[in-house]
Amino acid sequence: MRSFTWEAACRRRLACNHLLEPIARDRLVDAVRAVGGIQAQILSAAELAIGVRVAEITRRDVQAELWERRSLVKTYGPRATLHLLPADELPLWMAALRACAMLREPYPYASAGLEKSQADALLEAIGEALDRRCLTRQELADKVVEGVGEWAREQMLSAWGVLLTPAAFAGRLCFGPSRGSQVTFVRADQWVEQWQEHDPQKALIEICHRYFTTYGPATHQDFAHWLSLKPGEARRVMESLAHELQEVDFAGRRAWMLATDAREEWEQETGSLRLLPQYDCYILGCGPRERVVPQMARTRVSTYRRGRFEGATALPVLLIDGVVSGLWERRKVGRKIELRVEPFNQLTALQQDQLEAEAAHVGAFLEAEVRLSNGTLD
């Protein structure tokens, strides 16, 4: 059994996440593809998550890919949370997520307490309402209520998207361009060109393969957490890849990775410093959690804003050599951005230089001048 150190694994994951060297700007969609999608509960954070991985782009470039070229799609993704996913792989992802849902419940909307006949009628009504249309949430709810009855209105208007998620997984729905402050929805299988259905189980196995490509070494619990599966379900999916996965010793912990990757020699050079936005895919995908977010970080995170509820995932973090090593925030003041960083340990001169370069990178992406300072966040 091969053994890999924590430092070597971090470097490999950082490289796979394009956090050591940014990918070329004409491969923006490939950056999103490589990391398994970008969580987009906060769209500005999702834009920046792409910006820190891709060379010489601005947030307007990300927005153009999303709304003009449609090479990215905003929809419900892993963990039933909003994500940006590559448009050319949207049918694959939706099929895999249908497989996840089927492992948890007998039919779409079972968790919402609907009968199967109601569920079928609701999916049909959502698809018909969005046929060749772009509707706001209110407009969509009105159309659906016409088809199935008033009982659907309240949940259709819920910000949690309880009734929207299964429709997204079925290809009936994804997000369209906003109208002012209102989100809109379109038919996913019409918004994306050349929609082609995939076998859900095969799609789920392919997504599992991709997870271990980018975030390995990992365990079935890590994969389960990332995709929102029960650990036993995740283990069974991994068993379908038994011929491709290899067990390794990962810093004294049993883990698995693709056998082809396990044969590689990994560099252990350190010296990486990055500023990641909240809900970044690196923090969401990497384990074990107690190594990615060590005790000192967890203690501070638990006292700061949404960190007390969601941990480091919900906060912009300073990442040093793949480990959460501080927090940061940005505030717009006139035409400038004040960027304040709270490192958990004193930065070296080299790290301070790297931090200044990172702040300049954030400013270039946001097309604003940045004023950087270090200190405790309020």
Side-chain angles (χ1 to χ4, degrees):
M1 184 185 298
R2 288 203 64 181
S3 297
F4 297 97
T5 66
W6 169 252
E7 291 76 15
C10 280
R11 182 166 180 82
R12 181 184 180 280
R13 290 165 169 175
L14 289 167
C16 291
N17 267 266
H18 301 294
L19 292 174
L20 292 182
E21 293 292 335
I23 197 169
R25 60 176 297 148
D26 62 351
R27 296 185 60 201
L28 184 156
V29 177
D30 289 333
V32 178
R33 192 188 320 277
V35 298
I38 301 288
Q39 188 160 323
Q41 298 296 111
I42 302 173
L43 188 55
S44 60
E47 293 167 349
L48 185 54
I50 297 173
V52 300
R53 291 169 166 82
V54 182
E56 300 177 341
I57 64 168
T58 69
R59 65 183 306 181
R60 287 188 293 177
D61 294 316
V62 178
Q63 292 165 354
E65 297 294 340
L66 185 57
W67 305 122
E68 296 171 24
R69 286 184 280 278
R70 300 188 190 177
S71 61
L72 297 176
V73 176
K74 180 183 174 185
T75 190
Y76 294 94
R79 304 173 297 281
T81 56
L82 297 181
H83 269 68
L84 303 185
L85 295 167
D88 59 4
E89 293 185 339
L90 189 63
L92 172 75
W93 274 98
M94 296 302 99
L97 294 169
R98 287 202 303 277
C100 290
M102 286 188 287
L103 289 172
R104 292 192 296 266
E105 56 194 43
Y107 57 85
Y109 304 119
S111 59
L114 303 187
E115 299 293 335
K116 190 173 187 309
S117 58
Q118 290 178 297
D120 292 342
L122 185 60
L123 275 177
E124 185 69 21
I126 290 173
E128 288 181 0
L130 292 174
D131 187 22
R132 310 297 170 186
R133 298 189 185 98
C134 178
L135 303 177
T136 66
R137 189 184 296 270
Q138 182 66 59
E139 290 168 342
L140 177 58
D142 290 341
K143 286 284 186 183
V144 169
V145 164
E146 289 177 11
V148 301
E150 191 65 33
W151 60 265
R153 183 180 300 279
E154 184 177 351
Q155 291 196 68
M156 285 294 299
L157 293 175
S158 167
W160 294 106
V162 174
L163 300 190
L164 303 181
T165 304
F169 295 170
R172 302 289 201 282
L173 171 150
C174 68
F175 284 75
S178 295
R179 283 191 216 159
S181 62
Q182 296 187 76
V183 300
T184 69
F185 300 97
V186 293
R187 274 275 295 251
D189 55 1
Q190 295 172 355
W191 183 258
V192 173
E193 294 182 358
Q194 298 178 335
W195 183 281
Q196 183 178 358
E197 290 294 346
H198 292 258
D199 177 84
Q201 290 300 324
K202 291 180 179 178
L204 181 56
I205 293 168
E206 171 62 21
I207 295 304
C208 179
H209 186 283
R210 295 183 184 202
Y211 172 79
F212 280 90
T213 297
T214 301
Y215 299 103
T219 66
H220 67 282
Q221 293 98 330
D222 296 328
F223 176 55
H225 173 76
W226 179 74
L227 200 56
S228 189
L229 287 171
K230 293 180 179 178
E233 295 166 349
R235 188 192 293 277
R236 285 189 286 274
V237 176
M238 287 172 58
E239 287 172 355
S240 300
L241 286 171
H243 61 294
E244 295 186 58
L245 292 175
Q246 178 175 324
E247 185 177 351
V248 297
D249 182 310
F250 172 33
R253 178 187 190 224
R254 288 180 65 199
W256 284 260
M257 59 187 305
L258 295 181
T260 52
D261 294 333
R263 290 193 290 268
E264 294 179 1
E265 294 299 325
W266 302 355
E267 298 180 17
Q268 298 194 33
E269 177 186 345
T270 57
S272 164
L273 182 150
R274 304 307 301 266
L275 293 173
L276 301 184
Q278 55 269 61
Y279 302 107
D280 190 84
C281 51
Y282 178 90
I283 304 298
L284 288 162
C286 293
R289 192 71 174 172
E290 64 272 13
R291 296 293 294 267
V292 178
V293 189
Q295 184 58 51
M296 178 186 293
R298 291 200 302 274
T299 300
R300 172 59 177 127
V301 162
S302 67
T303 68
Y304 186 70
R305 297 187 180 178
R306 293 199 62 81
R308 68 194 66 184
F309 307 112
E310 299 180 70
T313 299
L315 302 175
V317 298
L318 170 67
L319 197 74
I320 298 179
D321 293 331
V323 174
V324 172
S325 303
L327 302 174
W328 65 282
E329 66 179 11
R330 70 179 193 265
R331 296 176 181 172
K332 191 169 184 181
V333 180
R335 296 183 178 180
K336 297 182 179 180
I337 290 175
E338 290 188 350
L339 196 155
R340 189 167 181 81
V341 180
E342 179 185 328
F344 297 150
N345 291 297
Q346 183 70 36
L347 299 182
T348 66
L350 173 59
Q351 288 170 338
Q352 186 61 38
D353 289 343
Q354 290 175 308
L355 179 58
E356 291 173 3
E358 272 291 277
H361 184 104
V362 171
F365 178 77
L366 298 175
E367 299 182 280
E369 181 181 342
V370 168
R371 190 182 314 164
L372 172 67
S373 64
N374 292 16
T376 304
L377 302 185
D378 299 331

